[in-house]
Amino acid sequence: MAVLLITPEKCTNCRACEVACSMAHEEEFNPSRSRVRVLARTAGEKAVPVTCLQCDDAGCMAVCPAHAITDDVVTGARLINETRCIKCTMCMQICAFGATFQDERSRKMLKCDLCDGDPLCAKACPSGAIVSGEAATANAAKRLVAARKMKVFSKGGRG
């Protein structure tokens, strides 16, 4: 199953991920209709891409009174069934990461669906701030970086 791995320090605030997502899902280049959002409140603040993390113990699923959020057994994504959704916004309110949104135009609830297992935000990201990978190996690069830092630290700062 695919997962998205976010590396905030690589984000350049280009918002290509938002544009790719909104085009794929809403057929328009409109970041406000994207399922991934790049957050940067001030000009000097570092940008951070935020998207649904497809939590194992997903609060959005637990609070949905219409049982409109279900697991996609192939991709592992938590999907919102638009016909069952009553647009109560409980999923949006419970999400600890603010990764579920209500579309201002259609009023439908939006969250990452992992693009059927081939996330377009990751493909569009030129800096590698968002990458897609298999759950079992997604953090391998970060583990390697952490191990190198620990090795330097254990040698008293000598590389």
Side-chain angles (χ1 to χ4, degrees):
M1 287 188 222
V3 296
L4 291 175
L5 185 62
I6 309 291
T7 309
E9 55 270 13
K10 289 185 176 183
C11 183
T12 63
N13 201 20
C14 72
R15 300 183 183 271
C17 56
E18 293 176 334
V19 172
C21 180
S22 67
M23 186 61 192
H25 290 90
E26 304 301 328
E27 298 180 345
E28 66 178 89
F29 296 117
N30 184 346
S32 71
R33 302 190 79 201
S34 173
R35 282 126 176 95
V36 59
R37 303 285 171 95
V38 177
L39 301 179
R41 288 183 249 160
T42 63
E45 187 176 39
K46 188 69 178 152
V48 178
V50 177
T51 191
C52 178
L53 299 177
Q54 313 298 342
C55 303
D56 282 341
D57 188 16
C60 58
M61 290 177 74
V63 301
C64 181
H67 306 287
I69 302 174
T70 57
D71 289 320
D72 182 311
V73 294
V74 175
T75 65
R78 309 291 188 249
L79 304 177
I80 299 175
N81 181 324
E82 290 180 34
T83 58
R84 294 186 78 179
C85 179
I86 61 173
K87 299 169 182 66
C88 67
T89 73
M90 291 297 292
C91 55
M92 182 174 74
Q93 294 177 48
I94 195 81
C95 180
F97 302 99
T100 303
F101 316 96
Q102 187 172 41
D103 184 75
E104 292 178 13
R105 191 178 312 156
S106 69
R107 308 307 295 164
K108 69 181 177 181
M109 301 308 298
L110 305 178
K111 65 184 286 316
C112 178
D113 61 6
L114 293 175
C115 296
D116 294 323
D118 193 19
L120 295 175
C121 59
K123 286 183 171 183
C125 182
S127 66
I130 303 174
V131 295
S132 175
E134 289 300 310
T137 59
N139 281 325
K142 284 192 173 190
R143 284 193 301 269
L144 183 59
V145 170
R148 287 181 179 147
K149 286 179 183 177
M150 287 189 291
K151 185 176 179 182
V152 169
F153 180 72
S154 68
K155 291 182 177 182
R158 297 182 301 273

